[in-house]
Each structure stands twice: as C-alpha cells, then as structure tokens.
Amino acid sequence: MNTPDVIPKSFASVRIAQVFLAGFLTVSVVLAFITESTFDSGDSIKHFLFARDAFQYPMNYLDSWAKPLFTLLASGPAQAGFIGMKLFQCGVVALSAWCAFVVARALGLPAPYLAIVFAYAAPDYFLIQYSGLTEPLFGLVLVGAVALAVTHRPGWSAALISWLPFVRSEGFIIIGVWAVYLMVQRQWKLLPLLLLGYAVFSAVGAVVLGDASWVFGHNPYATVSVYGHGVWDHFLDYMPNLLGRVLWGLALIGAARMVYDSFQRERRQTPLFSAELLLVYGSITVFVVAHSIFWAYGLFNSFGLTRVLTVTVPLFAIVALNGLAGVTSVGQTRTARWGIRTVLAIAILLFPALERGHDFAWQRDLTRPPDQQVVENAAAWLRQTYGQEARPLAYEFPYVAVATNNNFFDPKTHPAIVLNEAGQVVSLPVGGLLVWDDWYAPVEGHVQLNKMLSDARFRQLWQDSLPRHPERPERDTTRIIIFERVR
C-alpha cells in the first residue's frame, strides 16, 4: 500500500508543485520563442495548417484525420502562426503535469509534486511541446479524466474521456478501459456518458454533412497499413528513450509494486485501488499493447512511430513516483529518504541531457531540421524567380505550404497529385510546378523520381540537398527538386 512516511500539508505540497510548474513552464515558453523546431515535418505541420485555416475552411473542423476536437481547440492559438501552436502545446503540457500531481496527491504518494518534474524530464514529451501534433492534448484529456476519477468525480471523468477519440482515434480503445472501471465500481448509470462526445459530433455531422455516421464512415485509416509492419517489442524497446533510463527504471519498480499490491487483499480494498490499477496502469498497458499489435500486424496505417507513446508520459510520471516510493522506503530515517529522493530526482533531470545518443542536442532537436531548410531554400528560389506570380504548386511535403505561403486547401493553388496507370503525374496544368522531395513525394504521393525525369512533359528547374543528419553527413541526404510542366 502507498503509505508516505510523511504526508505534507496540502498547502505546502500545492505551493511546491506550483513553484515547479511555474519554473518548467517558463523554460518551455522561453524555448518556444527561441527554437525553430517543429518536432516533426509532416503531421506536425499538417495539423497546424488544418487548425490555422479552419476559420477560412470550416469543414476542417469535421475532418476525421485532423481530429475535430484538436482542430477546434488549436484553431484560435494557430492564428498567431506556429508560435501560437507551440504556446498552446506548452499550456497543454503544463496542465497535464499539474493533473499528474493531482492524481499522485490523491493516491497518497510521497512528494507528489515530483510528478511534475518527472513529466517534464521525459525527453520526447518535453520536445513535443514545439509541434502541432495531437499527442499532448490526448495525454491531457487522459490524465485529466484520471484526475477527476480519483478526486471522486466519476461522472465528469466519464464525460471528459468520451471526447478522447476526437483528439486521436486510440481514444475509442481507452473508453473501453473506462467502461470496465465504471462496471467494476457499479456505476451503471454513468456508462452512457462515455458516448457523450460521439453523440455530439454525430449530431453535428448529421446537420453539417447530412451523415450522422460520419465518425466511422469517414475513417481515414486503412485497415491494412501501407507502411508495412514491424516487430512486437518495437514500442517496449523504445521506453528508455521515451522516459530516460532512470525514470524508466523507477516506472518498472512502480509497475512491480502495483502487481504485488494486486495480490494483497487489504490493498485491493482501499477506495482508489481500482481507479489506480485500471485508469493509470491499465490505460498505459492497453495503449502500448494496442500499438504493438497494430505495428506487428500492419494495421490501421501504423508506421511504428514512437512519438505516440508521449501520450502516456503524465501517467508514467505517477507510476515512476510509485517506484520512487518503493526505493526511498529503504531509508531508515526521514533524512535518508529525503536524500535518496533528491538524488534520484536530480538524476532523472540530468540523465537525458548527459547520456550519449539520448541526450538533448540543440542542433538536432531545437533548430530547423535539414528537410525544412531545403524547402526554405526552394521557397527563396521561387520568390526570386517568379516574384509574386502565383503558379499552381503540387507537393506532398506539408512544410512547402508554410515556406511558400501556398494555400494548402485551395485546389487551384495546390492541386492534388493524381497519377495515371504508368505512374505519371497527370493532374498538374501546363505551367504548374511540382515540388518533389525524397520522402513525402514517393511514400505518400507515390511520385517516383525516375518517372519525373523520364516524363517529357516536365522539365527540371532547380534542386538542392542537405545531409539529413548533420552530425553524420555520409548517411543520407534530404533532397528537393522543382519540376515545371511544359506541355
């Protein structure tokens, strides 16, 4: 059972948590204005474009891929540009860390304010603040719903978690965890609340789209992934990188303690045991196992992207705090326990910055990545060559829209790439330009370079490349080629 050696006064615990949160949030916001990173050059940018242009194209709010709730909440901040998106994400991460503290305090874990430290110390979770991705908001709704449950507001918890599928599709799986929890708690009357988000968006779809079944009918994810499949332990293998090895070690200890506690009758009878077991540990397990299955069998367009694991970081902070409680219990005195706790907390903060291969690297993580630099070079060439002349611009690389100020959602300025049976581009009008890159164009658009080079209807105008990994320039490059359709 989680029995802290000294339970701090609520006021003192909250004040310490507030100081930690204020410090980390300040650092995050300052870096948001300094860094040019977007964490990811594809989906991160595309989600930003959907949110930014939703005022002009309201149907973006009901785009299944973009995720309606995320687009709705992010569209306001995105009007300030990508910095608005980054500040929005900083706020989301801060709220998530605070909810982790609330859960830890409700569960009676020692030093619950360290949950905030643990959340911010996870390398990928810290860096994903500077993206337009949906993972941080998913994590907030998830840990927020846990916080409501452990503070004796199960109805509000069920209502909140019902919106999760409209941030990321895995939310439908997590709703199943809540259904099990409510049935275990015999909260039968609250089960319909799990359908609240679906009911609201279905009603909106019925009015706007004329299709009440659009949530599932417009599913953008193919059952069989076009990206292939991978190994079962792919995500589990990445955990030390996600959390840092010290935090991952404490999380393993915390998980072992929970397994042990599950066999203790007295522990199972404590008021919040079911909530802790199912909503914290159960949500992490179900999420990781589901993604492992998707990647191993190549389902639902899974690409094995490890960034999806960041949604679990606020919950992992709680699990690691449980592990810390187990480690510090070996101290014979209050001073010894405080010392162990302090040393481990410092190690958790410093280790990701010191371990070679998993460290925070400014050049790699917080500056503009090479693929975006090449696009910026291409955009500069286009401005110099064509001035303000607007030519149809075909591309698959979302960052092209940002660099060139091209209207991503206007089919006249951004025509969709359509191929004929021979794999040749047929959708671009004469005089139009195609920006070919060596990743998005062949993988997402199926536009192969050899087809472009051998197609007499197109001529090559410009190209540039940079090492994709500046620290290892010999590995591979990121390349942009601009073609013009001449006949």
Side-chain angles (χ1 to χ4, degrees), residues 256-393:
R257 293 189 79 207
M258 177 52 71
V259 170
Y260 175 80
D261 286 350
S262 298
F263 291 97
Q264 309 304 308
R265 182 178 180 182
E266 181 183 358
R267 175 74 169 98
R268 293 198 305 269
Q269 292 175 342
T270 55
L272 294 178
F273 177 77
S274 294
E276 183 178 5
L277 176 66
L278 294 173
L279 304 187
V280 177
Y281 295 82
S283 293
I284 291 174
T285 301
V286 166
F287 190 89
V288 175
V289 169
H291 271 285
S292 297
I293 293 172
F294 297 160
W295 180 229
Y297 286 103
L299 302 174
F300 306 119
N301 266 14
S302 175
F303 195 18
L305 294 173
T306 53
R307 73 179 190 224
V308 300
L309 297 175
T310 57
V311 309
T312 62
V313 167
L315 297 184
F316 263 120
I318 299 161
V319 176
L321 200 57
N322 187 24
L324 181 64
V327 173
T328 55
S329 66
V330 303
Q332 298 299 308
T333 65
R334 179 181 177 184
T335 301
R337 290 188 288 271
W338 183 89
I340 295 171
R341 189 179 299 144
T342 302
V343 168
L344 287 174
I346 293 173
I348 286 169
L349 278 174
L350 293 182
F351 202 77
L354 298 175
E355 184 185 11
R356 186 172 179 82
H358 307 293
D359 55 325
F360 288 108
W362 181 269
Q363 180 63 30
R364 184 190 67 224
D365 296 325
L366 297 174
T367 58
R368 192 181 305 283
D371 57 355
Q372 293 183 11
Q373 292 178 36
V374 178
V375 174
E376 289 288 351
N377 295 342
W381 180 85
L382 287 169
R383 287 190 293 269
Q384 182 180 2
T385 305
Y386 298 104
Q388 298 302 315
E389 180 184 354
R391 289 197 174 198
L393 203 61

